[in-house]
Each structure stands twice: as C-alpha cells, then as structure tokens.
Amino acid sequence: MARKTRLASIPTGRYPRGVDERRIDAVVLDWGGVLTVSVPAFIEDWLTSENIDRDRYGATVRGWMGRDAAPDNPVFRLETGELTTHEFEALLAAELVTLDGREVASTGLLRRMFGSAHPDPAMVDLVRGLRADGITTALLSNSWGEGYPEELLLELFDTIVISGRIGLRKPDPRIFEHTLDRLGLPAHRCVFFDDAPVNVEGARAVGMHAHRHTDAESTRAVIDQLRGAAA
C-alpha cells in the first residue's frame, strides 16, 4: 500500500500560511501499561492475591522476556500466536509456586494475571480527544490472549494491530511497517508510545517518533509538542 506523503516536502517551521503545521498525523499506542494501569501495578495485585513466590515469577519472566531470551521462548510464541493461551498457561503455571508451596492453577491464569489491568481513564480521555481533533489513532499491542475490551478499542482507534492476529510481535520492524501500511502514512508522520524501552527502540529504528510512556501527562506533553498545539 502506498503511504501518504502529505506535507513531507515542506520543511518543518516553514509552512505557508494556512497549512497544518503539526509534525504528526497519527498516534500509535501500546495497550498493557500504556492504555491500562501500569504493568507492575496489576501484576503486583495478582502476585499478592495468589500468594505467588515473587522470586520464581521474576526469574521466569527474565528468562522468557529478557533481551537475551531465546527466539522460541514461550512468551514470544504466545505473542505471535504459535502457542494457545491454554498451552502458555500450562507452561507458566509449571514454573510458579505459591509462598506456602502450593501449585498454581493453570486454567484461567492469564485472566487472573490481567484481572486488574483496567484502562487508565486519563489515557482513554487523551485518545478520545485526539480523535475528536482529527488525529489518526492506532493500537499496536503484543497480545497475551484476547482479553481486550473490543468495544472500547473500536471507539478509540482507527487501526488495530494485535501481534497474535498477524504472527508478528514488537520489536520486529515488520510489525511497525505493517502498522504504517495500515495507516497509509510514512514513519516520520507517526509517533509511538510503549512502556517497554526495547519496543520504543524498534519503532525509532524504522523512522517513527517514539517515546517511553510513563503517565498520561508526559505522553500528552510529547504529543502536544509534535502537534504544535501550543502555537
């Protein structure tokens, strides 16, 4: 699909009068930890509620999600759809134990893990405002199953890219390129927000503006700067 090049030939800061001066046309956002409350917050709720041994959980996650993780590890295979949620839950549960030595039930494990991963109201309001102002919005999420609030996603986003549905995951450059093709925009006209630095680096590598999300206020400030909202 050909990508739009609107305003691409006009240098920043030298637009003719009446021409849109914003530097971006689209905002691309991760889901967990960006549109929701922070990942550490909802994971801590789950660890506490099930009395999970944090050392065992931490060691497992580092082995499966660290920068040196093997490409065929369970998280990567889940996020690309190669593992079903049930298969992944069985593998993860086998690595975990409670502090009093009990096994962790595999059935429904992901649902329980993400049980308090509620949407962040400030981020929901931010995305609604962007769409109302004519900014294109997109979701780009590495999926741990299909527990997304579909009605909310359809309200907030013009384009939805979920890793398990297309067999690609961040930070693979192909998933960013796929998202840009879906948007019909060049990379430099899009900004991406993620809570994982490795994914921010991946977006920058294909030419997107990219920033690590920490809270709605700082993300809004970056977007406003790129939009020229203060002008």
Side-chain angles (χ1 to χ4, degrees), residues 28-32 65 74-83 85 114 138-148 150 153 159-176 178-179 182 192 194 199:
V28 184
L29 300 141
D30 179 35
W31 178 252
M65 298 185 68
V75 168
F76 290 13
R77 293 167 63 202
L78 173 69
E79 291 179 339
T80 55
E82 295 176 45
L83 281 181
T85 56
F114 288 80
L139 176 75
L140 175 52
S141 175
N142 281 354
S143 56
W144 285 42
E146 284 288 340
Y148 298 93
E150 291 293 335
L153 298 193
T159 297
I160 297 171
V161 178
I162 293 176
S163 67
R165 299 178 185 179
I166 63 170
L168 297 170
R169 64 179 295 277
K170 298 173 292 185
D172 187 328
R174 293 175 297 172
I175 198 169
F176 295 106
H178 173 84
T179 303
R182 290 277 306 275
F192 172 70
D194 201 294
N199 295 335

Side-chain angles (χ1 to χ4, degrees), residues 22 24-28 135-138 183 185 189-192 208:
R22 68 191 182 197
I24 57 168
D25 295 304
V27 175
V28 184
I135 299 290
T136 299
T137 58
L183 290 168
L185 290 167
R189 300 298 298 183
C190 303
V191 61
F192 172 70
M208 300 174 75

Side-chain angles (χ1 to χ4, degrees), residues 1 3 8 11 17 19 31 42 58 80 100 103 111 128 140 166 173 215 220 227-228 231:
M1 180 186 297
R3 298 177 186 162
R17 180 170 299 184
V19 173
W31 178 252
F42 68 73
T80 55
D100 55 1
E103 294 183 354
R111 175 182 52 78
R128 283 176 175 150
L140 175 52
I166 63 170
D215 55 66
R220 182 186 295 276
R227 293 175 60 197

